[in-house]
Amino acid sequence: MQFIFQDQAIHLPERDPGAVRQFMEQINKALNENGLVFSHFLVSGMPYYGDIYSLVDEYWNKELPVEIVGITEEEWLSEAKREILGYVGRAAGILQELSQTLYSGESSPAIWRQMSDLSEGMEYLLKIFSKTRILSNPDPIISGIQSVSVQLVQALEARDLVLLADLITYEILPLFQQIKERLTAEEGTDVNG
């Protein structure tokens, strides 16, 4: 499989996970040496944000140009902030509706999918806030996410609809608002904008 990296064609000879991991380690090392971090792939000019293992599985036998995109850490942090702000903004309306549905006692496969998505979203937020310097003091956000995540798992395991609705209403939505306020305050932008 051919990749384009820093205007050079690089061949990935094998698709086994060990070879793919080693390939990305070499790419990340080269990016870091140039003050960059991995951002995403471009497949035939279209952004691809999945991991390299999925990319290789999907495009291994296809003759498509796959470019590796690196950006500065500041650009990555700015992009991550925009993504998080977008996520918590979109999630707020969905979660308000979901909590009302849970309070009404409705339990359907779609509800449990949404709860699974919420759990995954919380894991993603924890990972970002724990492993980056996206905020100057992320500890209150990290502990809030950890606390809510533990309670969320317990409520999901118990299938306690009222507790899930309460967690959304009184813990998760205020936490998302706090995340929004902190990110926008450190960015110097309007919280409502």
Side-chain angles (χ1 to χ4, degrees):
M1 184 169 185
Q2 290 289 111
F3 287 85
I4 301 165
F5 177 63
Q6 297 177 337
D7 297 323
Q8 295 181 359
I10 299 174
H11 183 70
L12 175 62
E14 301 175 52
R15 73 186 277 187
D16 75 85
V20 173
R21 182 182 39 75
Q22 186 177 15
F23 176 80
M24 276 311 292
E25 285 172 359
Q26 291 171 342
I27 296 299
N28 284 324
K29 182 180 177 192
L31 286 167
N32 290 336
E33 288 170 356
N34 290 303
L36 301 173
V37 294
F38 173 77
S39 174
H40 60 281
F41 301 98
L42 289 176
V43 179
S44 294
M46 297 298 296
Y48 183 94
Y49 291 98
D51 64 52
I52 189 166
Y53 302 102
S54 301
L55 177 100
V56 168
D57 284 344
E58 191 171 339
Y59 294 103
W60 182 257
N61 290 321
K62 298 179 181 158
E63 296 291 324
L64 298 172
V66 178
E67 187 175 345
I68 298 168
V69 179
I71 58 177
T72 67
E73 186 175 353
E74 289 305 314
E75 289 171 323
W76 186 89
L77 287 171
S78 180
E79 210 174 272
K81 285 179 182 180
R82 277 193 307 278
E83 283 181 27
I84 292 169
L85 285 169
Y87 171 75
V88 297
R90 287 185 309 275
I94 294 167
L95 291 175
Q96 288 169 345
E97 278 184 38
L98 180 58
S99 69
Q100 293 306 310
T101 302
L102 291 167
Y103 279 132
S104 74
E106 185 180 326
S107 174
S108 68
I111 299 278
W112 298 111
R113 273 192 303 281
Q114 285 182 306
M115 294 307 301
S116 176
D117 292 345
L118 175 60
S119 182
E120 288 175 15
M122 297 295 285
E123 287 176 32
Y124 172 74
L125 290 173
L126 181 60
K127 181 178 172 184
I128 293 293
F129 285 107
S130 298
K131 297 187 184 285
T132 68
R133 55 180 186 81
I134 201 161
L135 287 176
S136 58
N137 177 16
D139 293 343
I141 298 292
I142 291 169
S143 51
I145 294 170
Q146 288 171 327
S147 173
V148 168
S149 294
V150 167
Q151 295 174 66
L152 183 61
V153 167
Q154 292 170 344
L156 285 168
E157 288 173 351
R159 292 207 176 250
D160 187 332
L161 302 181
V162 172
L163 180 55
L164 288 167
D166 283 349
L167 278 171
I168 290 169
T169 302
Y170 301 111
E171 300 289 336
I172 296 171
L173 286 171
L175 178 63
F176 281 13
Q177 182 61 33
Q178 182 183 13
I179 289 170
K180 181 178 177 181
E181 289 170 1
R182 289 282 312 278
L183 286 174
T184 53
E186 290 195 18
E187 212 38 50
T189 57
D190 179 19
V191 174
N192 299 314

